[in-house]
Amino acid sequence: MKQYLIIIVSAVLVNNYVLAKFLGICPFLGVSKKLDSAFGMSVAVTFVMALATAATWPIYTYLLVPNGLDYLQTIAFILIIAALVQFIEIVMKKYIPALHKALGIYLPLITTNCAVLGVTILNLDEGYNFLESMVNSIGSGLGFMLAMVIFSGVRSRVDAAAGSIPKAYQGIPITLTAAAICSVSFMGFSGIVDGLFK
């Protein structure tokens, strides 16, 4: 149980895929203007991460590695993730059309979201078993959600103060600066896992 707690705390705070590993920046910057769309995108990404891990780990372990095809992992994982995203998009369009419309172009972009691909590959690189991989992927999704929700609040504050920001610094420059400050704040969690679970 302690091992799973370490994995989930590490995935959410210490090794946050957006703010520490800089993966999944496109939806982080594109969908984080409104809290509801940021939350919806985060739920979709978390769901895809968990499903992708549940599908890719056994395929890699029991199909690719025994047949000497482990070098095809990236291509196989991208195809699996693309199929899962298409499935989620069809379900969302039918049952949650408002969220589907709010996410717009960013929902199909989950297919190419490097955070989703990154979690499936890094689960294998870390040597996690199936259960540890699932815990890590859900924790990574929760970390993605935390980063999106926090940055949504930061962006609303930045937008409210737009009049006091120099013209050359408005838009993307101030957004990237705010993202960098959020990222630096998460670096303070780097020693938390060792301190909490000794």
Side-chain angles (χ1 to χ4, degrees):
M1 185 64 181
K2 180 180 175 183
Q3 176 66 18
Y4 299 126
L5 198 55
I6 290 171
I7 290 171
I8 203 160
V9 169
S10 178
V12 173
L13 297 175
V14 180
N15 297 317
N16 188 291
Y17 273 74
V18 177
L19 298 174
K21 295 185 182 291
F22 307 109
L23 299 173
I25 297 297
C26 178
F28 176 69
L29 295 175
V31 187
S32 61
K33 286 185 180 179
K34 295 182 181 176
L35 181 61
D36 55 346
S37 59
F39 183 76
M41 172 62 98
S42 302
V43 169
V45 167
T46 303
F47 187 64
V48 171
M49 280 182 175
L51 279 180
T53 298
T56 56
W57 193 92
I59 286 173
Y60 179 82
T61 305
Y62 300 116
L63 182 67
L64 296 180
V65 171
N67 293 307
L69 299 172
D70 48 318
Y71 63 90
L72 292 175
Q73 80 172 15
T74 304
I75 295 169
F77 289 7
I78 289 172
L79 291 173
I80 292 166
I81 292 166
L84 290 171
V85 170
Q86 289 303 311
F87 171 73
I88 290 169
E89 185 174 11
I90 290 167
V91 170
M92 247 188 208
K93 191 172 186 178
K94 184 169 183 167
Y95 297 107
I96 318 171
L99 182 58
H100 181 266
K101 187 176 180 184
L103 294 177
I105 187 69
Y106 294 100
L107 185 59
L109 285 177
I110 294 176
T111 303
T112 57
N113 186 341
C114 52
V116 177
L117 180 62
V119 77
T120 58
I121 292 174
L122 288 173
N123 282 335
L124 299 169
D125 290 347
E126 293 291 328
Y128 291 149
N129 62 34
F130 182 75
L131 194 54
E132 290 171 342
S133 295
M134 290 302 295
V135 168
N136 185 52
S137 64
I138 291 168
S140 299
L142 293 175
F144 185 85
M145 183 182 295
L146 178 67
M148 290 285 282
V149 168
I150 287 174
F151 197 61
S152 175
V154 169
R155 284 188 80 170
S156 67
R157 296 292 297 262
V158 168
D159 290 345
S164 60
I165 298 170
K167 188 174 181 181
Y169 208 53
Q170 290 178 2
I172 295 294
I174 192 66
T175 302
L176 291 174
T177 302
I181 292 169
C182 283
S183 178
V184 167
S185 68
F186 267 68
M187 294 174 107
F189 293 115
S190 60
I192 196 169
V193 173
D194 295 334
L196 278 179
F197 301 108
K198 279 186 178 177

